[in-house]
Amino acid sequence: MELERVANLEENEPSMTEQYAAARLLLRDALKATGRVYLSYRFDDHFFSLSEVEKLSLLDGIRRWSNLMMDFIAHNGNPKNTKDLVRYYLSRLNVSVPPAFIEQIQDGDIVEIYGSDSKRLFFNPELFDYSSYAPDVMFSKQWWNLYDRDTGISAKIQKMAYSTFMGLNKHPFRPGLPVHKVKEIRSQGRYESDVEIKLMSPVNAGDTIVGVAALERFTMLTALTHAHIHS
Protein backbone atom coordinates (compact mmCIF):
# COMPACT_ATOMS: atom_id res chain seq x y z
CA MET A 1 0.00 0.00 0.00
CA GLU A 2 2.83 2.39 0.84
CA LEU A 3 4.52 1.80 -2.53
CA GLU A 4 1.22 2.39 -4.27
CA ARG A 5 0.74 5.66 -2.39
CA VAL A 6 4.21 6.87 -3.35
CA ALA A 7 3.60 5.88 -6.98
CA ASN A 8 0.35 7.82 -7.02
CA LEU A 9 2.06 10.89 -5.56
CA GLU A 10 4.77 10.74 -8.24
CA GLU A 11 2.15 10.28 -10.94
CA ASN A 12 0.25 13.36 -9.76
CA GLU A 13 3.34 15.55 -9.43
CA PRO A 14 3.48 18.26 -12.10
CA SER A 15 5.96 17.63 -14.87
CA MET A 16 8.96 19.89 -15.37
CA THR A 17 7.18 21.44 -18.34
CA GLU A 18 4.14 22.22 -16.21
CA GLN A 19 6.28 23.60 -13.39
CA TYR A 20 8.19 25.81 -15.80
CA ALA A 21 5.00 27.14 -17.39
CA ALA A 22 3.60 27.92 -13.93
CA ALA A 23 6.82 29.66 -12.89
CA ARG A 24 6.76 31.90 -15.94
CA LEU A 25 3.12 32.81 -15.27
CA LEU A 26 4.09 33.69 -11.71
CA LEU A 27 6.93 35.85 -13.01
CA ARG A 28 4.57 37.60 -15.42
CA ASP A 29 2.19 38.38 -12.55
CA ALA A 30 5.06 39.71 -10.45
CA LEU A 31 6.22 42.00 -13.24
CA LYS A 32 2.66 43.16 -13.88
CA ALA A 33 2.50 44.15 -10.21
CA THR A 34 5.55 46.37 -10.82
CA GLY A 35 3.87 48.03 -13.81
CA ARG A 36 5.67 46.02 -16.48
CA VAL A 37 4.74 43.62 -19.21
CA TYR A 38 7.54 41.14 -19.63
CA LEU A 39 8.71 40.85 -23.22
CA SER A 40 11.01 38.06 -24.25
CA TYR A 41 12.19 36.05 -27.21
CA ARG A 42 10.95 32.50 -27.29
CA PHE A 43 14.17 31.58 -29.08
CA ASP A 44 15.99 32.24 -25.78
CA ASP A 45 14.14 29.40 -24.08
CA HIS A 46 16.83 26.88 -23.22
CA PHE A 47 15.15 25.43 -20.13
CA PHE A 48 14.80 21.98 -21.68
CA SER A 49 18.51 21.74 -22.45
CA LEU A 50 19.39 22.06 -18.76
CA SER A 51 20.13 19.17 -16.42
CA GLU A 52 17.51 18.20 -13.85
CA VAL A 53 19.49 19.89 -11.08
CA GLU A 54 19.83 23.06 -13.16
CA LYS A 55 16.12 23.04 -13.95
CA LEU A 56 15.21 22.81 -10.27
CA SER A 57 17.65 25.61 -9.43
CA LEU A 58 16.17 27.78 -12.16
CA LEU A 59 12.60 27.13 -11.04
CA ASP A 60 13.58 28.01 -7.48
CA GLY A 61 15.16 31.28 -8.67
CA ILE A 62 12.11 32.38 -10.64
CA ARG A 63 9.69 31.45 -7.87
CA ARG A 64 11.76 33.09 -5.15
CA TRP A 65 12.15 36.36 -7.03
CA SER A 66 8.50 36.48 -8.08
CA ASN A 67 7.09 35.61 -4.67
CA LEU A 68 9.40 38.13 -3.02
CA MET A 69 8.17 40.86 -5.36
CA MET A 70 4.51 39.95 -4.87
CA ASP A 71 4.88 39.81 -1.08
CA PHE A 72 6.71 43.13 -0.98
CA ILE A 73 3.95 44.83 -2.94
CA ALA A 74 1.25 43.08 -0.87
CA HIS A 75 2.84 44.69 2.20
CA ASN A 76 2.40 48.12 0.56
CA GLY A 77 5.96 48.24 -0.71
CA ASN A 78 6.72 50.47 -3.67
CA PRO A 79 8.76 48.48 -6.24
CA LYS A 80 10.35 51.73 -7.42
CA ASN A 81 11.81 52.26 -3.96
CA THR A 82 14.90 50.15 -4.47
CA LYS A 83 16.28 50.84 -1.00
CA ASP A 84 13.18 49.42 0.66
CA LEU A 85 13.04 46.50 -1.79
CA VAL A 86 16.65 45.53 -1.09
CA ARG A 87 16.06 45.79 2.65
CA TYR A 88 13.00 43.55 2.30
CA TYR A 89 14.93 40.97 0.27
CA LEU A 90 17.74 40.88 2.81
CA SER A 91 15.38 40.49 5.76
CA ARG A 92 13.41 37.73 4.04
CA LEU A 93 16.55 35.71 3.34
CA ASN A 94 18.14 36.59 6.69
CA VAL A 95 21.25 38.03 5.06
CA SER A 96 22.80 41.48 5.27
CA VAL A 97 24.93 44.06 3.52
CA PRO A 98 26.61 46.98 5.28
CA PRO A 99 24.28 49.98 5.66
CA ALA A 100 26.74 52.11 3.68
CA PHE A 101 25.83 50.14 0.56
CA ILE A 102 22.09 50.71 0.88
CA GLU A 103 22.56 54.39 1.70
CA GLN A 104 24.20 54.93 -1.71
CA ILE A 105 21.23 53.56 -3.72
CA GLN A 106 19.49 56.21 -5.83
CA ASP A 107 16.37 56.19 -7.99
CA GLY A 108 17.08 54.48 -11.30
CA ASP A 109 19.97 52.41 -9.96
CA ILE A 110 20.24 48.69 -10.57
CA VAL A 111 21.10 46.42 -7.65
CA GLU A 112 22.23 42.88 -8.40
CA ILE A 113 23.29 40.19 -5.95
CA TYR A 114 25.28 37.20 -7.18
CA GLY A 115 26.01 33.93 -5.43
CA SER A 116 29.32 32.08 -5.32
CA ASP A 117 28.41 30.39 -8.62
CA SER A 118 28.21 33.86 -10.30
CA LYS A 119 24.48 33.46 -10.98
CA ARG A 120 21.97 36.09 -9.96
CA LEU A 121 20.25 35.71 -6.61
CA PHE A 122 18.45 39.06 -6.76
CA PHE A 123 17.93 42.09 -8.96
CA ASN A 124 15.42 44.93 -8.84
CA PRO A 125 12.81 44.90 -11.63
CA GLU A 126 14.37 47.90 -13.38
CA LEU A 127 16.94 45.51 -14.82
CA PHE A 128 14.24 44.17 -17.15
CA ASP A 129 14.14 47.64 -18.76
CA TYR A 130 17.66 47.02 -20.03
CA SER A 131 17.40 43.33 -20.87
CA SER A 132 15.86 41.26 -23.65
CA TYR A 133 16.77 37.97 -22.02
CA ALA A 134 14.09 35.42 -21.28
CA PRO A 135 13.73 34.54 -17.59
CA ASP A 136 15.30 31.12 -17.95
CA VAL A 137 18.49 32.82 -19.13
CA MET A 138 18.35 35.62 -16.55
CA PHE A 139 18.29 33.15 -13.66
CA SER A 140 20.50 30.35 -14.91
CA LYS A 141 23.61 31.79 -16.56
CA GLN A 142 26.79 33.23 -15.08
CA TRP A 143 27.14 36.92 -15.82
CA TRP A 144 30.18 36.44 -18.08
CA ASN A 145 28.11 34.11 -20.28
CA LEU A 146 25.47 36.79 -20.79
CA TYR A 147 27.39 39.90 -21.78
CA ASP A 148 30.26 40.94 -23.99
CA ARG A 149 32.48 43.60 -22.46
CA ASP A 150 36.12 44.62 -22.41
CA THR A 151 38.10 41.55 -21.36
CA GLY A 152 40.30 43.55 -19.02
CA ILE A 153 37.28 44.94 -17.19
CA SER A 154 35.70 41.48 -16.97
CA ALA A 155 38.89 40.10 -15.45
CA LYS A 156 38.98 42.88 -12.85
CA ILE A 157 35.34 42.26 -11.89
CA GLN A 158 36.00 38.54 -11.48
CA LYS A 159 39.09 39.23 -9.37
CA MET A 160 37.20 41.65 -7.09
CA ALA A 161 34.29 39.23 -6.70
CA TYR A 162 36.69 36.39 -5.85
CA SER A 163 38.53 38.56 -3.32
CA THR A 164 35.20 39.47 -1.72
CA PHE A 165 34.18 35.83 -1.33
CA MET A 166 37.60 35.14 0.16
CA GLY A 167 36.88 37.75 2.84
CA LEU A 168 39.39 40.33 1.62
CA ASN A 169 36.71 42.99 1.03
CA LYS A 170 34.65 43.30 4.20
CA HIS A 171 33.09 46.68 3.44
CA PRO A 172 31.44 48.32 0.41
CA PHE A 173 34.06 49.50 -2.04
CA ARG A 174 34.25 51.44 -5.28
CA PRO A 175 35.68 49.16 -7.97
CA GLY A 176 37.31 52.06 -9.80
CA LEU A 177 36.16 50.85 -13.22
CA PRO A 178 35.33 53.22 -16.08
CA VAL A 179 31.85 53.42 -17.56
CA HIS A 180 31.93 50.66 -20.14
CA LYS A 181 29.81 49.07 -22.83
CA VAL A 182 28.07 45.73 -22.31
CA LYS A 183 26.20 43.85 -25.01
CA GLU A 184 23.96 40.81 -24.70
CA ILE A 185 25.42 37.82 -26.49
CA ARG A 186 22.69 35.18 -26.03
CA SER A 187 19.53 37.07 -26.97
CA GLN A 188 17.82 38.02 -30.21
CA GLY A 189 17.57 41.64 -29.03
CA ARG A 190 21.31 42.11 -28.43
CA TYR A 191 20.58 45.00 -26.07
CA GLU A 192 23.60 47.22 -25.60
CA SER A 193 24.15 49.59 -22.67
CA ASP A 194 26.77 51.68 -20.96
CA VAL A 195 27.24 50.47 -17.39
CA GLU A 196 28.76 52.20 -14.40
CA ILE A 197 29.50 49.89 -11.47
CA LYS A 198 29.32 52.40 -8.63
CA LEU A 199 29.79 50.14 -5.63
CA MET A 200 30.36 46.51 -4.69
CA SER A 201 29.84 44.84 -1.33
CA PRO A 202 29.88 41.48 0.42
CA VAL A 203 26.55 39.92 1.36
CA ASN A 204 26.69 38.09 4.67
CA ALA A 205 24.77 35.36 6.44
CA GLY A 206 26.18 35.78 9.91
CA ASP A 207 29.95 35.51 9.52
CA THR A 208 29.73 33.75 6.15
CA ILE A 209 29.94 35.64 2.86
CA VAL A 210 27.19 34.24 0.64
CA GLY A 211 27.06 36.80 -2.15
CA VAL A 212 28.41 39.92 -3.80
CA ALA A 213 26.18 42.93 -4.35
CA ALA A 214 26.71 45.42 -7.16
CA LEU A 215 25.21 48.90 -7.39
CA GLU A 216 25.03 49.96 -11.02
CA ARG A 217 23.73 52.59 -13.40
CA PHE A 218 22.64 51.55 -16.90
CA THR A 219 22.23 53.75 -19.98
CA MET A 220 20.58 52.07 -22.96
CA LEU A 221 22.45 52.49 -26.23
CA THR A 222 20.77 50.19 -28.77
CA ALA A 223 17.95 47.64 -28.77
CA LEU A 224 16.39 45.60 -31.57
CA THR A 225 12.84 45.87 -30.26
CA HIS A 226 11.06 45.13 -33.54
CA ALA A 227 11.29 41.39 -32.97
CA HIS A 228 9.95 41.46 -29.40
CA ILE A 229 7.04 39.16 -28.62
CA HIS A 230 5.10 38.51 -25.46
CA SER A 231 6.21 35.48 -23.51
Side-chain angles (χ1 to χ4, degrees):
M1 290 295 293
E2 180 64 19
L3 290 176
E4 183 179 343
R5 186 182 70 83
V6 172
N8 288 335
L9 286 174
E10 291 178 349
E11 184 177 332
N12 293 326
E13 184 176 334
S15 67
M16 280 291 187
T17 302
E18 292 169 328
Q19 291 184 59
Y20 181 52
R24 288 185 70 133
L25 287 174
L26 178 63
L27 176 64
R28 186 183 300 175
D29 288 342
L31 284 172
K32 183 178 179 181
T34 74
R36 288 174 175 77
V37 174
Y38 183 71
L39 299 173
S40 73
Y41 296 97
R42 295 186 189 279
F43 302 109
D44 285 346
D45 186 350
H46 73 297
F47 177 78
F48 302 103
S49 68
L50 300 175
S51 70
E52 292 299 297
V53 172
E54 289 172 326
K55 287 178 181 177
L56 290 172
S57 176
L58 169 56
L59 290 170
D60 180 64
I62 293 177
R63 291 168 183 149
R64 183 180 300 175
W65 189 92
S66 301
N67 285 322
L68 173 91
M69 204 62 56
M70 300 283 278
D71 290 347
F72 177 69
I73 293 169
H75 286 84
N76 298 316
N78 179 356
K80 294 182 180 180
N81 188 327
T82 304
K83 284 185 179 180
D84 283 352
L85 178 58
V86 171
R87 290 190 185 103
Y88 187 77
Y89 166 82
L90 297 171
S91 66
R92 280 285 300 271
L93 273 72
N94 199 28
V95 296
S96 64
V97 297
F101 180 87
I102 295 178
E103 290 167 3
Q104 293 297 315
I105 298 173
Q106 299 177 343
D107 291 345
D109 283 343
I110 303 296
V111 175
E112 299 184 81
I113 297 177
Y114 288 85
S116 58
D117 61 358
S118 297
K119 296 179 183 178
R120 289 185 177 102
L121 298 174
F122 169 84
F123 56 88
N124 55 313
E126 279 78 8
L127 183 60
F128 279 105
D129 298 340
Y130 303 94
S131 176
S132 66
Y133 279 119
D136 54 336
V137 182
M138 293 277 281
F139 287 95
S140 66
K141 289 290 184 182
Q142 287 91 354
W143 59 268
W144 60 78
N145 287 321
L146 292 174
Y147 304 102
D148 177 55
R149 75 178 83 202
D150 179 87
T151 54
I153 291 176
S154 288
K156 289 178 181 178
I157 294 172
Q158 288 180 311
K159 183 177 180 180
M160 285 184 282
Y162 178 76
S163 296
T164 302
F165 277 110
M166 292 297 292
L168 301 179
N169 299 317
K170 299 183 182 299
H171 306 284
F173 61 95
R174 299 188 183 280
L177 298 173
V179 176
H180 57 279
K181 188 180 300 182
V182 296
K183 183 176 182 179
E184 295 176 348
I185 57 177
R186 292 178 176 270
S187 72
Q188 294 292 316
R190 294 295 195 272
Y191 279 16
E192 191 172 0
S193 300
D194 274 341
V195 175
E196 176 189 7
I197 304 178
K198 303 185 343 182
L199 206 62
M200 295 175 68
S201 174
V203 180
N204 300 287
D207 295 328
T208 303
I209 297 172
V210 296
V212 174
L215 177 61
E216 305 158 328
R217 174 72 64 160
F218 277 64
T219 302
M220 179 73 80
L221 298 176
T222 60
L224 302 178
T225 57
H226 66 276
H228 254 165
I229 57 176
H230 288 273
S231 65

